[in-house]
Amino acid sequence: MAGQASPEAMDRMISNLTKCIQAQQSVAAALKNDYRTVGEEWNDKQYENLGVVIESAVRDLSSNYASLSESISKLQILKQKLMDYLEHHIA
């Protein structure tokens, strides 16, 4: 059973990071959409200030995308190495 539990745990890690990326992208899209909605009724300097805050939040959310994607790629490579290891050391 140990030969299956570890790769499955790594699959969960990859899945969790993928979900995190998707959630961040969803939040960023929702923030932009809600900002546009607010702009239908509010259009002055304070609305522009709100835009700066939203742009900053979206930028912060997006900045993690490359790093998290790289982590997913590394995990996939390491999962394969784990599977190779288990194949040769667990009989």
Side-chain angles (χ1 to χ4, degrees):
M1 186 55 115
Q4 292 301 318
S6 296
E8 289 174 0
M10 292 193 77
D11 281 338
R12 288 190 300 273
M13 291 178 204
I14 292 166
S15 177
N16 286 331
L17 286 174
T18 301
K19 288 176 187 175
C20 180
I21 290 171
Q22 292 168 341
Q24 288 178 331
Q25 290 172 333
S26 178
V27 168
L31 287 170
K32 290 178 190 177
N33 186 53
D34 288 341
Y35 175 69
R36 284 188 295 272
T37 299
V38 170
E40 292 174 6
E41 297 177 340
W42 188 24
N43 192 7
D44 66 4
K45 182 65 177 164
Q46 295 308 313
Y47 174 71
E48 291 176 19
N49 290 339
L50 174 62
V52 171
V53 172
I54 298 304
E55 286 175 19
S56 177
V58 169
R59 187 174 42 255
D60 289 345
L61 287 166
S62 300
S63 69
N64 290 327
Y65 177 78
S67 177
L68 292 174
S69 293
E70 184 178 328
S71 294
I72 290 170
S73 296
K74 288 177 181 178
L75 280 171
Q76 290 168 331
I77 291 167
L78 290 168
K79 178 189 167 202
Q80 185 57 53
K81 290 182 183 208
L82 170 64
M83 292 174 65
D84 293 343
Y85 173 85
L86 293 173
E87 182 178 320
H88 291 91
H89 290 86
I90 296 178

